Structures are given as structure tokens and as C-alpha cells.
Amino acid sequence: MTELLDVEALRAKFLNTVFDEKQFELTAEDMSNYAIACGELATRYTDPNDPDFQAPPTMPTCIQPKKRMPKGFPKIAGLGMDAGKAVQSYKPIRPGVKLTGKTHMHDIYTKTGRSGRMVFFVNRMDIFDSDGEQVAWADTSIVIRERPKE
Amino acid sequence: MTIATIKDVEFGEELPVFDPDTSLENVKKFATAAHWFGPRFTDHEAARKEGLPGALVPGIMSQGFLAAMIHRWAPQANVQNVDTVFRAPVVVDEKYHITGVVTDIDEASGRVEIDLTVTNDAGETRVFGTAQVQIPTG
């Protein structure tokens, strides 16, 4: 059985501090195959020869940081499950553009149900192009179900 | 009917239902493009050994289905935000249906909000979400 997490203490210590930074780029082949597998028909997502070819708008959510949690974050008992994803697109992402993803813990919150309390951890990756302009952000929500200590 | 401009969109309008390709072959192609190589997404037996009902469609793929559905309805739509909640597993090789309904329209800016739901053949919700979409104003 696990101790209930002190969510306010975790928020105070870990929110809004970048804990991971990575450089990456998306290839035209991956962008096109990603779009086609999702069922996209618009050629600006599926055809690298389209003059407006770009990554499908949800593709930033597939980029994973090198570190999953901030340094010093406590190990939490229980199986973490992927609770959701959110993505915001500001500019089209073109193939071969060097991108930088900076990840911070964006939110920690709880929901309580009949089976106990669930704690949600939201990590946000802000994605910038080589000019330093933000092109997107992508959130990953992980939920852990707590059980009170007996 | 596909949507060309914001004037074509009606409040409460239901988008055409989209039945995505959740076959193992297609999920493998997606996993390769996304660089998500876990066997839980590409191997039914390996997934069952992890206690799962079968290989899973990655949540990010379900999210991609939602955006694709919007573009099938409105080919020039710019999907700006998609917020998705994974309520229950989406299992590879099973049938799913995606529905969507327009819940808000701002004609001046062309901004539309759409609620989206992925259900299985039993009508159980597996994934739901909301999208903010920009439609051409004219």
C-alpha cells in the first residue's frame, strides 16, 4: 500500500521547470507514413511533393523526451497509465527542419472516485524551430491510482 | 458534403462517421513512422503477456484518427488543438467508429469546436476529445 502523495509539495517543487531538452527533426517519409496510417487524405500531409507538405497536426505528440520525469522526482508505486494527449499547433512543421523540444512538468492534479484517488501528471514539451519560434506544444498525461495506506 | 468555408458549417452538425483502419499491419506502419516500437502495439501475444486484451492501438494514433476525420469533412481545415482522453484500450484488429459534432462556431474568425468520440461495436466509449479547428472564412 502506498502513502498518499503530497500533491501540493510536488507542485511547488517540480512544476514549470524544464527538465529535458532534445534536438530532433522529422523526415518527409515518417510524416507521410504517419498521416496515411491515420487515414489522412489531404495531400499536404500525405504527399511530400505537395508544395504545402507538412507534418500532420497531431504528430508532435509522438516525440518523447529523453527523461520521463524531473531529476529527484519520487518513485511512485503503481502502474502509470497513459491518460491522454493534447497538442497545440502554431506553425506548420516542415520536413528536415531542426527542432528543439523542451519539456517541463506542466500540472499535477487529482480526481477522487469510488476506488480511491487518482493522481494525474502532465508533462508538456514546447517545440521550437531553428529561429526559436514555437511551432507546437504537446502534453502527455499519466495517471496513477493511489490506495490509502492501511 | 465536404466543408469549404465557415458558412457551410452548422451548429450541432454531425461529421460523417469515420471507421479507422486498426489492422495490425497498419498499426505497425504507424508505429514505425512514430518510432514507437513497443511490442504491446505490434504483437498480440506479447501484449497479452503484459495483461492487456491484445495489441493496443497507440493513443497517439487514435488522436491522429480524430484529425484525419476532421480533414475528411473539411479538407482545408487547420486543426489547431486536439485534447484527447484515453478512457479504455483501443485494441488492434477490432472495429471502432469515430463520431464528431460541432459544438461551437465563431463565424467572424472561422473558429469551430468539435467534440469527438471513438466507440467500439458495443457502443462503449474508448477515447474522447475536443478539437479547435480553423475553417477558411471565405
Side-chain angles (χ1 to χ4, degrees):
Chain A
M1 295 298 155
T2 57
E3 297 249 17
L4 285 178
L5 290 168
D6 183 346
V7 169
E8 285 309 312
L10 290 176
R11 288 175 59 87
K13 186 171 183 182
F14 292 105
L15 289 192
N16 300 320
T17 300
V18 173
F19 65 85
D20 186 84
E21 183 168 329
K22 70 181 287 188
Q23 275 73 45
F24 62 97
E25 55 188 77
L26 302 176
T27 69
E29 181 182 17
D30 284 345
M31 288 161 56
S32 172
N33 288 339
Y34 194 104
I36 291 167
C38 289
E40 285 283 2
L41 299 178
T43 57
R44 66 185 183 279
Y45 304 114
T46 61
D47 181 0
N49 295 315
D50 186 296
D52 193 27
F53 181 67
Q54 58 190 274
T58 63
M59 194 169 181
T61 56
C62 82
I63 308 302
Q64 301 183 72
K66 292 178 291 185
K67 294 180 212 148
R68 296 300 179 96
M69 285 294 186
K71 189 176 180 183
F73 199 81
K75 288 198 185 309
I76 297 168
L79 181 63
M81 299 293 290
D82 196 353
K85 302 276 185 192
V87 62
Q88 172 72 43
S89 174
Y90 294 115
K91 285 177 64 179
I93 296 175
R94 309 293 182 185
V97 172
K98 294 196 184 311
L99 300 168
T100 301
K102 298 180 181 180
T103 302
H104 68 275
M105 187 164 275
H106 188 67
D107 200 4
I108 306 171
Y109 62 96
T110 62
K111 288 184 179 179
T112 303
R114 280 172 293 188
S115 58
R117 192 173 77 154
M118 294 181 294
V119 185
F120 292 78
F121 303 92
V122 182
N123 282 342
R124 173 169 294 181
M125 178 184 285
D126 292 300
I127 302 173
F128 302 88
D129 64 17
S130 53
D131 295 326
E133 278 197 63
Q134 187 162 13
V135 295
W137 55 251
D139 283 358
T140 296
S141 298
I142 301 294
V143 60
I144 292 178
R145 188 182 300 278
E146 284 186 316
R147 290 191 175 86
K149 192 178 183 185
E150 290 182 334
Chain B
M1 168 182 152
T2 56
I3 298 298
T5 72
I6 192 69
K7 291 182 176 59
D8 300 327
V9 183
E10 292 185 22
F11 178 79
E13 175 175 351
E14 293 183 2
L15 280 62
V17 175
F18 174 43
D19 293 347
D21 181 354
T22 61
S23 67
L24 190 60
E25 180 186 12
N26 194 45
V27 172
K28 284 180 177 176
K29 287 179 185 169
F30 175 85
T32 301
H35 297 256
W36 280 39
F37 296 112
R40 66 167 52 184
F41 302 121
T42 55
D43 183 329
H44 282 300
E45 281 310 307
R48 290 187 187 111
K49 283 178 184 168
E50 289 187 45
L52 299 166
L56 301 182
V57 174
I60 56 172
M61 188 175 190
S62 292
Q63 192 182 46
F65 292 152
L66 302 183
M69 179 198 194
I70 292 168
H71 291 133
R72 285 166 175 245
W73 168 70
Q76 295 307 315
N78 178 9
V79 177
Q80 296 180 323
N81 182 291
V82 186
D83 192 351
T84 317
V85 175
F86 306 141
R87 177 180 276 183
V90 174
V91 180
V92 170
D93 289 327
E94 293 189 2
K95 288 186 179 175
Y96 295 91
H97 316 286
I98 306 179
T99 56
V101 61
V102 175
T103 57
D104 196 21
I105 303 173
D106 181 344
E107 285 215 21
S109 66
R111 199 168 172 86
V112 170
E113 185 174 288
I114 302 169
D115 283 354
L116 298 147
T117 308
V118 180
T119 55
N120 61 12
D121 263 352
E124 298 163 332
T125 298
R126 316 313 272 177
V127 177
F128 62 91
T130 303
Q132 304 288 336
V133 179
Q134 188 73 35
I135 307 279
T137 52

